[in-house]
Amino acid sequence: PQFVEYERKHADRITPVVAIPMLIELVTAVWLCADPPGTIDRRWMVFGLGLVIVVWLSTAIIQVPCHSRLGQGFDSSVHRVLVYSNWIRTIAWTVRGVLMTYIVWLILDRQA
């Protein structure tokens, strides 16, 4: 009973915190594909969008269903899947962060 309450509160509180930035990230990734900055190759933007799609698919297919199941009661196997599958998003977001940092560096370097 305590875990179920914890999980429900967690889901209620975390959703607005992550949903809005994830939506902004998706919109800007699409925008960057449609109109890449300066001389940046569009393929980098498409790669970045692909990473965002990986995050969204992982969230929708793995993380959300795991949280829903955990909202009915703790299950160690579901919890394990949730914890390990978060590496998908961690890696995708890290690679995208490095990519976007490199692109910003290229843009700023060319303006100097």
Side-chain angles (χ1 to χ4, degrees):
Q2 285 182 328
F3 180 81
V4 170
E5 183 65 20
Y6 162 80
E7 179 63 27
R8 287 188 183 151
K9 283 182 180 179
H10 168 74
D12 289 345
R13 291 176 180 163
I14 197 70
T15 299
V17 172
V18 298
I20 293 168
M22 283 179 68
L23 186 58
I24 291 169
E25 180 184 34
L26 177 62
V27 169
T28 58
V30 170
W31 183 1
L32 286 169
C33 284
D35 187 20
T39 59
I40 303 299
D41 191 326
R42 183 181 314 271
R43 290 177 288 191
W44 288 116
M45 299 302 134
V46 172
F47 178 62
L49 176 59
L51 293 167
V52 172
I53 290 169
V54 166
V55 168
W56 276 77
L57 287 174
S58 176
T59 301
I61 294 170
I62 304 171
Q63 279 78 36
V64 169
C66 283
H67 279 292
S68 294
R69 288 182 59 197
L70 290 170
Q72 299 168 7
F74 184 78
D75 179 327
S76 62
S77 63
V78 174
H79 182 261
R80 190 170 23 263
V81 169
L82 179 62
V83 170
Y84 287 125
S85 66
N86 268 321
W87 280 105
I88 298 167
R89 298 188 304 179
T90 300
I91 291 167
W93 269 322
T94 301
V95 171
R96 187 164 192 280
V98 170
L99 173 64
M100 292 297 113
T101 300
Y102 176 67
I103 288 169
V104 168
W105 178 79
L106 284 177
I107 292 167
L108 293 175
D109 188 55
R110 290 176 185 168
Q111 290 179 355

